[in-house]
Amino acid sequence: MTRLFCQDHPDTLRLDATALKTRPGAVLLSQHPFYPGGGGQLPDQGIVRWHGGEASVTGFSEEGGAIWALLADGIEVTGEVQAEVDPLFRQLMRELHTDLHVLNALVFRDFDGALVTGVQMNADGTARIDFDLPDADNDRLRALEPELNDVIAQDLAVQTHHLSLTAAHAEKGLLRSRSVTPPPSSEGLIRIIEIVGLDRQACGGTHLASTGASRPVKILKIENKGRYNRRMRIGLQGV
């Protein structure tokens, strides 16, 4: 997988670019700041501007390892453009994704290394994370909310590292999903998100620079989904 600009520079939301290839409703840019979606995180929203016009980005399409931006109204773009991410939406996704990592870390610690079976972040400021927890006490899971918010308030630094696939598999607890592992980069490296002093795990999404940049979180609901899955729903307070 090609290493994304947004993974290394999540605060850079605007880039000048050239339309390398184009067709009605889609453009392949020389560079862009967008996260195209994946790992339960929604794709960025944004705009592509050019001299005399602009179009909303409605999604992304990966074709032969290249990521095309899909444009509203079938617009066809040529020449020099400017690609810009919606800052509020990016912030929302960064908060939710970082908060899910905090919750994941607490569940992994307190429930015998329970693995993740599914994740989804939503545009309304809510998210859900599913764990392989057939015998968990829901009240114990709900009781994690104060510590979850305490970690957010501690403003722990969030750092990015890269490890070889071999090293990532060798480090216990680094790969938390039961079924999905972030694909290695073209250099054969796995991206690691570290919340300093709390957690390290493989992930390809965008995150905050520190936990304190998130709003407080509420555990909204805990559900049994099938024989093994326990679903925890969270929401950002004030959204």
Side-chain angles (χ1 to χ4, degrees), residues 56-92:
S56 297
V57 176
T58 61
F60 301 89
S61 175
E62 184 174 349
E63 302 174 20
I67 296 174
W68 289 67
L70 307 180
L71 305 178
D73 303 322
I75 288 176
E76 189 166 358
V77 177
T78 60
E80 302 303 309
V81 304
Q82 187 180 79
E84 183 173 358
V85 175
D86 180 317
L88 294 179
F89 190 79
R90 168 68 68 82
Q91 174 67 16
L92 184 72

Side-chain angles (χ1 to χ4, degrees), residues 96-127:
L96 287 173
H97 210 153
T98 303
D99 296 335
L100 287 173
H101 274 232
V102 175
L103 180 57
N104 187 344
L106 300 180
V107 171
F108 187 81
R109 180 198 68 192
D110 290 352
F111 292 85
D112 300 321
L115 295 179
V116 175
T117 57
V119 175
Q120 183 61 58
M121 287 152 254
N122 305 311
D124 63 358
T126 66

Side-chain angles (χ1 to χ4, degrees), residues 35-69:
Y35 181 72
Q41 181 175 332
L42 295 176
D44 277 329
Q45 300 175 5
I47 292 174
V48 171
R49 297 187 179 90
W50 62 94
H51 182 68
E54 64 179 41
S56 297
V57 176
T58 61
F60 301 89
S61 175
E62 184 174 349
E63 302 174 20
I67 296 174
W68 289 67

Side-chain angles (χ1 to χ4, degrees), residues 91-92 95 99 149 152 211-217 236-239:
Q91 174 67 16
L92 184 72
E95 288 183 62
D99 296 335
N149 283 303
I152 291 171
T211 60
S214 174
R215 286 159 281 193
V217 170
L236 294 170
Q237 294 185 25
V239 176

